[in-house]
Amino acid sequence: MQIVPVIPPEAAAHRDQQLRTAAQDLETTFLAEMLKSAGLGETRGAFGGGAGEDQFASFLLREQAAAMVRAGGIGLSETIFESLKERNDATPID
């Protein structure tokens, strides 16, 4: 016998926000890796920022990717969120 729990609206909204945040973090990580693979943030040569630029390039890529996600991203986070929510809602309590 499966029991379907009744979740208060506040708890459901909090859970959805946690799932959305996790999905956006995953899309941010994905986009940061894509930007890195595309060569964004690589040292430009003799007039680049030197060792300091190399040290902090990953932070810049991550923040650029996060800005892209906040602006709507590529839709990956919404797809992940819907999948996580569906999976979470379908999990019965035995």
Side-chain angles (χ1 to χ4, degrees), residues 20 23-32 34-35 63-80:
R20 188 171 301 282
Q24 289 172 339
D25 288 345
L26 186 57
E27 183 176 8
T28 297
T29 300
F30 175 77
L31 288 175
M34 292 300 101
L35 292 173
E63 188 51 40
Q64 288 170 331
M68 290 171 66
V69 170
R70 285 191 300 271
I74 58 173
L76 183 61
S77 63
E78 191 60 30
T79 302
I80 293 169

Side-chain angles (χ1 to χ4, degrees), residues 39-60:
L40 191 68
E42 291 180 358
T43 305
R44 293 181 210 94
F47 295 106
E53 183 176 5
D54 290 339
Q55 293 290 324
F56 292 99
S58 65
F59 293 110
L60 178 61

Side-chain angles (χ1 to χ4, degrees), residues 3-5 7 11 13 17 20-21 23 28 32 50 54 56 61 67 69 72 74 77 83 85-86 93:
I3 300 172
V4 179
I7 301 171
Q17 184 57 43
R20 188 171 301 282
T21 299
T28 297
D54 290 339
F56 292 99
L61 287 175
V69 170
I74 58 173
S77 63
S83 178
K85 186 174 176 184
E86 181 180 310
I93 297 176

